[in-house]
Amino acid sequence: MADTPAADPANNLPAGYVPPRVWEWSPGNGGQFASINRPTSGARTEAPLPVGKHPIQLYSMGTPNGQKVTIMLEELLAAGHSGAEYDAWLIRIGEGDQFGSGFVDINPNSKIPALVDHSTDPALPVFESGAILVYLAEKFGAFLPTDPARRAATLSWLMWQMGAAPFLGGGFGHFYAYAPMKIEYAIDRYAMEVKRQLDVLNTQLGRHEYIAGDDYTIADMAIWPWYGAVAEDRIYGDAATFLNVAEYPNLQRWTALVGERAAVRRGRMVNVTYGAPENQLHERHDAADFDTRTQDKLATA
């Protein structure tokens, strides 16, 4: 195979940049997240995790990945699964809480969300949002079909989200909204992929009411916080206009359908630290905590 012709370094960003033979980390590199990003793992501080009164202890922040799990827990409670009562503790990722020793003990990857189930002996930690959704679905027998074909479809779409969202968030979102400079090539590359993903969802939702079929499942709970946020123009500045999300009517229908669920409206508030104050519930330790919010008294919706 012939080598790809070398690009003229004068056209690189910054002009003249040539990748070194061996990359080395430079503190401060990384734009908005430079203060926390390092090429190493492990604890940086001694910080044990608090433990509340409920069987399930969640350590998270209300990002799209965090909202997946709080939506699932609120849906379980709404469906009558009292064992899903939980304490949700805020992990401020911008301040590096995820690198505390207690958090690293339950998630060596230092990413939210992470959960500990104290109803087992010994207590069982689970990390990665998709793994947590499957764990809770199997524990409570809810939102994951047992029929082989429907189960396979649900898990396929769940794994689609896990693989697709990094292109939306770490790719498009980073270069469009967070990078210290606008790079046309990077924005075009990831915008094209996100548009393709939106078309995948729009096509699927033209055939089915929900993502994996006619039933609401953990696939919807995983995909909605990411792609619903784009459809509702709640993420990455004016990205909804830039991506022309209005041209995906089936995605818009589904986004509204899922967003109207009371449990979703509760779950999307938990551990949230941005936006309107009435939409933020920094920590959740009891259903009554939602009564402190003014948004529709969602705890009793």
Side-chain angles (χ1 to χ4, degrees):
M1 180 181 294
D3 292 338
T4 302
D8 183 349
N11 297 324
N12 292 347
L13 284 175
Y17 170 73
V18 176
R21 184 173 180 84
V22 178
W23 181 85
E24 294 184 0
W25 175 54
S26 175
N29 187 7
Q32 182 171 331
F33 306 101
S35 64
I36 59 172
N37 286 344
R38 301 179 190 176
T40 55
S41 63
R44 300 177 189 173
T45 60
E46 286 295 322
L49 292 174
V51 178
K53 61 183 179 181
H54 296 303
I56 292 174
Q57 299 294 299
L58 178 66
Y59 305 93
S60 188
M61 188 171 177
T63 67
N65 282 335
Q67 289 176 19
K68 297 177 197 176
V69 177
T70 50
I71 287 171
M72 174 61 163
L73 289 166
E74 291 297 329
E75 290 283 11
L76 288 168
L77 291 170
H81 298 281
S82 59
E85 268 294 352
Y86 68 104
D87 291 275
W89 303 93
L90 177 59
I91 300 295
R92 295 183 182 270
I93 58 178
E95 298 177 13
D97 291 353
Q98 68 274 34
F99 302 110
S101 57
F103 192 88
V104 173
D105 283 345
I106 63 172
N107 184 1
N109 195 40
S110 292
K111 302 289 185 181
I112 61 95
L115 174 151
V116 181
D117 184 355
H118 289 268
S119 71
T120 67
D121 188 14
L124 179 63
V126 190
F127 64 90
E128 288 293 329
S129 57
I132 294 172
L133 291 179
V134 173
Y135 175 78
L136 292 172
E138 292 183 336
K139 178 180 177 70
F140 293 102
F143 303 113
L144 178 58
T146 57
D147 171 76
R150 293 164 57 211
R151 178 183 174 87
T154 300
L155 292 176
S156 293
W157 281 103
L158 174 64
M159 298 308 155
W160 177 89
Q161 186 279 320
M162 301 297 289
F167 289 94
L168 171 58
F172 172 77
H174 178 79
F175 286 105
Y176 187 76
Y178 301 137
M181 66 182 76
K182 301 298 184 187
I183 303 173
E184 181 181 13
Y185 174 81
I187 291 173
D188 283 350
R189 166 69 180 87
Y190 287 110
M192 178 175 64
E193 172 59 14
V194 172
K195 291 283 288 183
R196 189 193 68 81
Q197 294 175 2
L198 294 173
D199 191 57
V200 168
L201 291 173
N202 192 64
T203 300
Q204 176 70 2
L205 290 165
R207 302 181 182 127
H208 303 284
E209 184 173 14
Y210 293 101
I211 291 291
D214 296 328
D215 297 320
Y216 177 66
T217 69
I218 56 174
D220 299 282
M221 298 178 204
I223 294 170
W224 187 87
W226 281 101
Y227 295 88
V230 173
E232 290 184 335
D233 196 16
R234 293 186 286 104
I235 196 170
Y236 307 137
D238 62 352
T241 299
F242 181 77
L243 295 170
N244 192 18
V245 297
E247 70 175 340
Y248 305 107
N250 302 318
L251 175 64
Q252 295 289 348
R253 172 197 60 77
W254 167 84
T255 296
L257 178 67
V258 174
E260 290 170 357
R261 297 177 67 91
V264 171
R265 294 162 69 191
R266 287 192 293 270
R268 68 188 288 185
M269 295 169 60
V270 178
N271 296 145
V272 168
T273 60
Y274 53 89
E278 62 269 22
N279 295 332
Q280 301 179 32
L281 185 63
H282 291 187
E283 292 189 354
R284 187 268 191 210
H285 302 290
D286 189 271
D289 291 341
F290 290 103
D291 290 335
T292 64
R293 307 293 85 188
T294 60
Q295 189 189 50
D296 297 331
K297 294 294 183 181
L298 290 176
T300 57

